[in-house]
Amino acid sequence: MEPNDLTPTELRVWQAFSHGESVDFRSATGEDVGNAAGWGPERTVRAAVLRSLLLNGPQEDGEIASLRLAGARITGVLDLQHATIDHPVGLRRCHFDETPRLYAARLRELNLSESDLPGLTAQALRVDGTLRTTRTVFRGPVRLGGAQLAGSLYMESAQINAPDAEEPVLQLNQAALGADLWAPGLVTQGQIRLNGANVTGTVNLTEARCENPGDAAIDAMALTVEGDLALKRAQIRGWIGLKGARIAGRLDLSYARLSNPGDAALRASSCTIGELWLRKGPPPQGTLNLRRAQIDVLFLEPEVVPDRVRLDNLAYTSLTPHEPAERRLPMLEREAEGYVPHAYEQLTAAYRRIGDDHAARLVQLAKQRRQRSTLGWFGRLWGHVQDATVGYGFRPSRAFGWLLSLLAVGSIAYALHHPPPLKPSEAPSFNPVFYTLDLLLPVISFGQESAFAPKGGYQWLSYVLIITGWILATTVVTGVTRTVSRQ
């Protein structure tokens, strides 16, 4: 393209390129870039001119050529597919009539901040520096699947409004970022796809508002983040999918509002997370799915636990803040799969690691009671007996209380009515206390039970004492065995 073919506006941009000078066509600060219908020829630049400039533009010795344009209306399609651009490209506060095509292009740096675009097609894009779309408005999908950025992707307060799109509105699947995905305040209507993406730094979605009701708002299966994934104070309508993801730092959902009624709000099964923070916000409207996840520190406040959870095979090293077992147990009772023994064992182990043996025993007692509801009638009956007598072995002091009570009843009853001896000439002196102990204790013998034979109702009382003694002894041995096996 020759300078003679350019309009005065385009000529000004062309001449500034070789010196890396900025060209700003804005008539006033704070103008609405989305409303460019009134921008005349004095602010209009053809996309073909920018393409020719970037590919074959003039250069001067000792100068660093770059495109720095602001406040322009760009007509036509900016087609840089497969192109290699050695110059920084800055198109700030510009209005694009057509979606730019940057498929498989290689750029040094690209800045589209505060611009208005109908979308962006840039799969497999390579940027040696950063890609900036701060406060940019996209009215169609942003396609960055497979992109490779040596630096960061900045999307602070960007907006992607494509609710009717049949594809994800922000596509970063299989993308590789050498630094951060920095997008606090991002607003999207549709799905964000991060499947298989690799972020060396942090993914910052603090105060983001992502809406895709009934479907994936953020689909990040197999995402790898070497830093943190921050969703602090985010508002998400739709589910967050992190299946198989690996987050080395913190997944921060503090103050977040997650809403996906009737389905999972957070799907984080089979993922590995350094720290998961769920605190200070309302309970998610939807299921919390952490099945088979591996978490080092689980910061979970009881008030934030939703009505339905999936915790089967969840493993965590530390559970904070420290709460009494009575505050943690309702979480396990909300398990969608019903009784899950592993969830109780994990909570027990967490309490033991911090030395709270009392809370650990309460969790194990709750586990036995929950398991009882899954048994047949005989198992449930036997469970009730163990619970009432010694609390499944976790409250052995109850056995001592039962023994004292039965000892008192038997001693008084047989003191008032001595059972007759079997062999009067050989029988020892009758002692109601030791006779009752002989009935209650199945192993120890004081020689009283074999020497005397009660009759009538007192014989039935002896049967009750013998059976009760065996039950108490069995439950105590069961509890001791369970405690030893845990050690």
Side-chain angles (χ1 to χ4, degrees):
M1 182 170 292
E2 299 297 330
N4 294 336
D5 300 328
L6 305 179
T7 66
T9 300
E10 295 168 345
L11 183 60
R12 180 181 170 187
V13 176
W14 190 280
Q15 292 173 342
F17 173 78
S18 60
H19 297 278
E21 296 176 353
S22 297
V23 178
D24 193 344
F25 292 117
R26 289 179 298 164
S27 57
T29 58
E31 64 182 0
D32 184 7
V33 180
N35 185 16
W39 296 3
E42 73 282 357
R43 298 184 61 174
T44 301
V45 179
R46 288 171 294 170
V49 174
L50 299 181
R51 182 179 187 275
S52 179
L53 187 61
L54 291 171
L55 295 176
N56 303 299
Q59 298 190 47
E60 294 188 17
D61 293 339
E63 298 289 346
I64 300 176
S66 62
L67 177 61
R68 302 184 184 277
L69 177 61
R73 178 180 180 179
I74 300 173
T75 60
V77 178
L78 180 58
D79 191 347
L80 296 173
Q81 298 183 91
H82 302 284
T84 298
I85 309 299
D86 293 326
H87 318 292
V89 179
L91 297 168
R92 302 183 62 209
R93 302 184 185 92
C94 292
H95 178 93
F96 289 76
D97 286 352
E98 303 289 341
T99 301
R101 298 175 185 172
L102 304 178
Y103 177 83
R106 179 165 185 173
L107 288 80
R108 179 169 296 180
E109 182 176 291
L110 179 59
N111 190 344
L112 299 172
S113 296
E114 301 177 85
S115 293
D116 187 285
L117 298 91
L120 179 63
T121 299
Q123 298 98 324
L125 171 70
R126 293 186 63 182
V127 181
D128 296 334
T130 60
L131 171 56
R132 296 181 181 273
T133 61
T134 301
R135 292 183 294 279
T136 300
V137 176
F138 296 97
R139 306 188 187 278
V142 178
R143 304 179 182 95
L144 288 166
Q148 298 183 43
L149 278 64
S152 298
L153 171 58
Y154 292 98
M155 301 190 77
E156 306 101 308
S157 302
Q159 299 181 39
I160 307 177
N161 302 315
D164 298 328
E166 297 181 357
E167 58 183 310
V169 296
L170 176 56
Q171 302 171 25
L172 283 164
N173 45 297
Q174 306 302 325
L177 276 63
D180 304 323
L181 171 54
W182 202 259
L186 175 68
V187 177
T188 61
Q189 293 186 10
Q191 182 187 132
I192 298 175
R193 178 167 292 178
L194 292 166
N195 293 354
N198 192 314
V199 181
T200 303
T202 292
V203 176
N204 187 348
L205 293 170
T206 300
E207 297 182 343
R209 289 179 294 150
C210 307
E211 297 189 5
N212 196 24
D215 206 338
I218 302 175
D219 190 358
M221 183 174 63
L223 168 69
T224 299
V225 181
E226 299 298 335
D228 299 334
L229 172 52
L231 284 159
K232 193 173 182 180
R233 291 187 294 274
Q235 299 182 39
I236 311 296
R237 293 184 60 196
W239 51 266
I240 300 174
L242 293 169
K243 182 178 180 180
R246 187 178 71 84
I247 302 170
R250 178 188 306 164
L251 171 56
D252 193 347
L253 288 161
S254 303
Y255 303 93
R257 295 179 177 270
L258 311 183
S259 177
N260 192 37
D263 199 354
L266 175 62
R267 300 178 180 181
S269 59
S270 303
C271 65
T272 302
I273 303 174
E275 298 183 19
L276 171 56
W277 285 27
L278 271 167
R279 66 187 191 98
K280 303 299 182 184
Q285 297 180 19
T287 304
L288 174 63
N289 187 347
L290 297 175
R291 298 179 63 191
R292 300 182 300 276
Q294 302 285 329
I295 302 173
D296 188 16
V297 177
L298 179 57
F299 195 127
L300 180 61
E301 293 180 341
E303 297 84 0
V304 185
V305 178
D307 295 333
R308 188 178 174 90
V309 298
R310 291 181 179 270
L311 306 176
D312 190 16
N313 288 315
L314 165 66
Y316 49 88
T317 303
S318 175
L319 179 62
T320 59
H322 179 60
E323 296 278 357
E326 294 85 352
R327 298 250 299 154
R328 293 292 187 189
L329 286 171
M331 172 179 67
L332 307 187
E333 296 169 2
R334 299 171 187 175
E335 171 61 50
E337 299 296 326
Y339 170 60
V340 176
H342 181 82
Y344 288 88
E345 293 300 329
Q346 278 293 302
L347 185 56
T348 300
Y351 278 123
R352 285 194 180 130
R353 277 190 286 268
I354 60 175
D356 194 342
D357 292 332
H358 173 69
R361 287 193 297 271
L362 289 180
V363 174
Q364 284 295 300
L365 178 58
K367 174 190 173 185
Q368 296 298 323
R369 289 172 174 170
R370 186 78 181 276
Q371 183 186 31
R372 183 173 66 206
S373 64
T374 66
L375 304 176
W377 71 269
F378 182 78
R380 292 196 300 272
L381 177 61
W382 178 241
H384 281 294
V385 171
Q386 292 188 83
D387 194 0
T389 52
V390 292
Y392 286 98
F394 296 103
R395 292 176 176 173
S397 60
R398 285 187 180 180
F400 185 69
W402 280 102
L403 286 172
L404 287 180
S405 300
L406 293 172
L407 178 62
V409 170
S411 299
I412 294 173
Y414 292 117
L416 295 176
H417 190 280
H418 291 193
L422 292 174
K423 297 180 180 180
S425 60
E426 300 177 3
S429 299
F430 180 75
N431 187 309
V433 175
F434 283 94
Y435 179 74
T436 304
L437 283 174
D438 247 354
L439 296 174
L440 286 172
L441 303 179
V443 179
I444 301 175
S445 175
F446 294 101
Q448 293 280 315
E449 178 186 2
S450 59
F452 299 91
K455 298 180 180 180
Y458 294 96
Q459 185 178 19
W460 284 103
L461 175 60
S462 68
Y463 295 157
V464 171
L465 292 174
I466 291 172
I467 294 173
T468 306
W470 273 104
I471 292 175
L472 288 173
T474 302
T475 52
V476 168
V477 170
T478 300
V480 171
T481 304
R482 186 183 296 116
T483 301
V484 172
S485 65
R486 288 196 307 269
Q487 299 299 327

